[in-house]
Amino acid sequence: MSDESPGALSINTATTRRQWGVVEAAENYARLGVTGIAPWRDQIAECGLASAIRAIRDNGLRVTGLCRGGMFPQPDRTSFAANLDDNRRAIAEAHELSSDCLVLVCGGLPEGSRDIEGARAMVAEAIALLLPEAQAAGVRLAIEPLHPMYAADRNCINTLGQALTLCEKLAPEDPNGWLGVALDVYHVWWDPALEDMLNRLDPVRLHAFHICDWRRTTRDLLCDRAMMGDGVIDIERIARNVGALGFEGLPEVEIFSNDWWAVDPCDVVATCLERSLAVRRILDCTQV
Ligand code: ZN
């Protein structure tokens, strides 16, 4: 990666969402030495897509992912179709942002449902419908498996193996990786099949690598992610596997944390840069 500073890093704007909007985040990330950004759609909606794009481009940041599409399982066909339309808007936004991918958080069970396999079938149906449209727009889709604690309300795709099976089923011939995955250490670190699944992963399907840490005792299911080094995940081991795949993206810090949202955002960014050094060095020297 000779065109980027050694050990380049992206930050997901969720990490500073209470402190900065997308425009401020873009300006400050770049000023502090960060080279990539992964914005959220709701934050983009606050400032407008044109302002977000201008701030990101003016500051020379690479967009490592747009968060997010998905939420496919719906209680009826009308809402299923309406949600597909929202995903089409997300694809258009990812295209405008020249994002490395559109991250898909696929969705959990519709209200009142106990049919998780039905939910998974709706996920497959929706992605099959959207994939040709994403490809036509030049947007790669990245299924992000989420930790099983979110299976009911956020995502019924819970392991890398499940995500890969979906990719292989929906896009068996996909040399450009239009359908792939976002790998987030927070969601996959516990999986005994993780290394086998990383070996199974076709490198062209790896679109994003999210880092943070898992606090030994989690106090909040959504907003208690830890800074790298403050938890139990062997992030460097996973990073070596990711590097061995020839991952060409940037590691992306993504921390939802009531603690870090209460800190001066410049200190958050400085800490992200410092605590990601080992991972950035690993990816820099293993990238092919
Ligand atoms: Zn993530």
Side-chain angles (χ1 to χ4, degrees):
M1 303 297 282
S2 53
D3 58 333
E4 278 164 329
S5 59
L9 182 72
S10 175
I11 296 184
N12 185 298
T13 61
T15 308
T16 51
R17 75 149 52 236
R18 296 263 170 89
Q19 300 101 319
W20 285 332
V22 171
V23 171
E24 280 177 293
E27 289 165 354
N28 285 291
Y29 291 177
R31 180 176 61 81
L32 296 164
V34 172
T35 49
I37 188 168
W40 280 69
R41 293 183 68 210
D42 62 320
Q43 290 182 287
I44 287 175
E46 279 169 23
C47 64
L49 183 60
S51 316
I53 290 170
R54 199 177 316 117
I56 289 167
R57 293 214 175 124
D58 286 354
N59 287 286
L61 295 170
R62 173 173 175 173
V63 179
T64 53
L66 174 64
C67 296
R68 61 178 196 228
M71 296 298 156
F72 301 121
Q74 295 289 331
D76 55 65
R77 298 307 293 181
T78 306
S79 37
F80 183 81
N83 181 62
L84 279 184
D85 282 341
D86 186 54
N87 275 275
R88 292 184 175 107
R89 289 190 286 276
I91 290 168
E93 289 167 21
H95 168 80
E96 292 292 317
L97 286 157
S98 305
S99 179
D100 286 354
C101 62
L102 173 64
V103 173
L104 300 180
V105 173
C106 293
L109 296 172
E111 193 74 38
S113 169
R114 294 192 174 91
D115 183 8
I116 194 165
E117 288 309 326
R120 288 172 175 150
M122 279 191 265
V123 169
E125 181 189 352
I127 295 175
L129 289 167
L130 291 171
L131 184 57
E133 299 176 30
Q135 182 173 347
V139 171
R140 302 189 302 178
L141 300 178
I143 299 168
E144 181 167 1
L146 258 56
H147 189 283
M149 68 178 170
Y150 301 119
D153 62 348
R154 279 194 169 71
N155 193 354
C156 57
I157 307 302
N158 307 106
T159 63
L160 179 57
Q162 250 185 305
L164 293 183
T165 298
L166 259 181
C167 290
E168 291 156 5
K169 184 176 140 201
L170 299 177
E173 305 290 328
D174 191 13
N176 295 311
W178 292 109
L179 184 58
V181 298
L183 187 75
D184 188 326
V185 298
Y186 190 75
H187 298 301
V188 302
W189 70 275
W190 58 273
D191 183 354
L194 178 61
E195 292 199 9
D196 284 347
M197 291 306 107
L198 285 168
N199 286 328
R200 173 178 156 196
L201 171 59
D202 181 339
V204 298
R205 294 205 201 264
L206 181 55
H207 298 334
F209 179 44
H210 300 170
I211 57 172
C212 68
D213 216 332
W214 181 283
R215 204 179 289 287
R216 190 167 185 285
T217 302
T218 295
R219 301 164 298 185
D220 183 291
L221 293 189
L222 196 59
C223 303
D224 196 28
R225 293 190 184 204
M227 184 62 69
M228 295 74 72
D230 289 345
V232 300
I233 305 178
D234 189 345
I235 305 169
E236 292 173 34
R237 184 184 175 100
I238 301 174
R240 280 192 290 275
N241 285 315
V242 164
L245 288 168
F247 178 61
E248 291 180 343
L250 306 182
E252 174 188 319
V253 177
E254 183 186 33
I255 298 178
F256 299 76
S257 162
N258 292 320
D259 288 358
W260 287 100
W261 285 330
V263 171
D264 178 330
C266 296
D267 293 341
V268 176
V269 170
T271 310
C272 289
L273 281 162
E274 184 197 325
R275 298 287 192 89
S276 63
L277 255 179
V279 164
R280 289 152 57 201
R281 287 202 183 108
I282 287 167
L283 291 178
D284 238 35
C285 66
T286 50
Q287 275 168 341
V288 291

